[in-house]
Amino acid sequence: MDLFDSSGRVDPSSVPGLQSWLRRVNQVVEFQVLAGPADSEVEELRRLGYRPETVVASDRSRLAWEEFLVEHLKGAPVSREELRVLVQARELVHEYMDVFSDLLAEYRIDLWRAVGFDPCRPRSGRPGMTAFADRVPSLRIAVDLKVQLFRNHSKPWKVNALHDIDALSIAVPYCHVVVPDSEMADLLSRSDAARRSGTRIVRRLQDLPDALAPLTASARAGGSAGVGAGWVDPGEAFCTDMQTLRATAPELSNGWRVSPAAGEDG
């Protein structure tokens, strides 16, 4: 979050207390995004187009998609290798097909030629296609986790598993440290996804500070200015209260006071 006036962005260092105040603004915004709307806000949000039931319907559809394969595998079991190829193809078609098709069109790529597919040789394009899918980090991790789940025929699929896989497929390739629940931590360990991505998996939340300490030290040693200044400073409480923002808003040089509430003067 930044502050702007009629001449453009206000330099936080030009106003006493503005930099630390903007940091608290970012904390409140992050908290509110994670918390979602309060019950008192839902009516107005619906007037603006908010439809949370569409997310529920989408979750049910995605769950049914995975449950379909579970039932199919009961009647036609496949090898582990074949299962991975099958899950790869389903993941690409179901979760990535729109963006994949757009990219092929944008770069004028002939898919059959790119993956070496020969109509006269069945499965000739499989090595190229599977190699491509494995080069997309988020796709590969989702496939790795889902293969592990499909191999356990006794455990039913749940929406929470889909949400966990969505989050981990993004977090594991691009974060230094990830804290999943115990089930997903086990699946990540079995699939070797974390080691391959160079990501540390922390199973217990109380172990997270120890995992973050060397990263903070490394960033500071590398000369990163203001480490933590954009989010939270050492020893500073994380701000989640709008009233605190209003009470601590700095005064600008023109005598106006910054207000975090949209629509208010000042």
Side-chain angles (χ1 to χ4, degrees), residues 144-156:
D144 287 343
L145 293 173
K146 288 186 177 183
V147 166
Q148 295 296 331
L149 285 174
F150 280 120
R151 293 182 68 217
N152 185 356
H153 302 295
S154 63
K155 187 174 180 62

Side-chain angles (χ1 to χ4, degrees), residues 244-265:
T244 300
L245 289 185
R246 293 193 180 100
T248 59
E251 187 174 300
L252 303 182
S253 58
N254 58 10
W256 286 30
R257 182 172 289 276
V258 179
S259 171
E264 293 185 7
D265 292 334

Side-chain angles (χ1 to χ4, degrees), residues 60-69 90-91 93-94:
R60 288 173 179 165
S61 174
R62 295 180 66 203
L63 184 60
W65 173 254
E66 308 300 354
E67 289 174 337
F68 173 83
L69 183 56
R90 284 167 49 89
E91 191 72 9
V93 169
H94 198 251

Side-chain angles (χ1 to χ4, degrees), residues 115-116 123-133 135:
V115 300
R123 299 190 176 189
S124 56
R126 174 179 287 199
M129 199 66 218
T130 55
F132 164 78
R135 289 191 180 98

Side-chain angles (χ1 to χ4, degrees), residues 40-194:
S40 59
E41 299 172 314
V42 171
E43 183 177 350
E44 174 63 14
L45 288 172
R46 281 193 173 280
R47 189 183 66 79
L48 298 172
Y50 178 59
R51 297 292 182 270
E53 57 271 14
T54 61
V55 177
V56 176
S58 175
D59 284 344
R60 288 173 179 165
S61 174
R62 295 180 66 203
L63 184 60
W65 173 254
E66 308 300 354
E67 289 174 337
F68 173 83
L69 183 56
V70 172
E71 292 302 314
H72 173 77
L73 292 173
K74 289 180 180 178
V78 297
S79 66
R80 182 173 181 174
E81 180 181 355
E82 190 68 15
L83 175 62
R84 193 171 193 283
V85 174
L86 181 58
V87 174
Q88 259 189 342
R90 284 167 49 89
E91 191 72 9
L92 179 62
V93 169
H94 198 251
E95 303 290 343
Y96 292 84
M97 199 60 195
D98 288 344
V99 67
F100 182 56
S101 299
D102 289 345
L103 285 170
L104 292 178
E106 180 179 351
Y107 290 96
R108 297 181 174 84
I109 295 174
D110 183 321
L111 182 60
W112 284 16
R113 185 173 61 185
V115 300
F117 175 70
D118 181 353
C120 298
R121 294 188 300 118
R123 299 190 176 189
S124 56
R126 174 179 287 199
M129 199 66 218
T130 55
F132 164 78
D134 276 342
R135 289 191 180 98
V136 182
S138 55
L139 173 58
R140 181 171 185 176
I141 288 175
V143 169
D144 287 343
L145 293 173
K146 288 186 177 183
V147 166
Q148 295 296 331
L149 285 174
F150 280 120
R151 293 182 68 217
N152 185 356
H153 302 295
S154 63
K155 187 174 180 62
W157 276 77
K158 296 182 179 180
V159 169
N160 281 349
L162 294 176
H163 292 169
D164 287 344
I165 292 171
D166 288 346
L168 291 171
S169 66
I170 299 299
V172 172
Y174 303 114
C175 295
H176 291 85
V177 180
V178 173
V179 189
D181 65 17
S182 58
E183 179 188 20
M184 287 296 157
D186 288 339
L187 296 182
L188 286 169
S189 176
R190 275 183 258 160
S191 69
D192 204 31

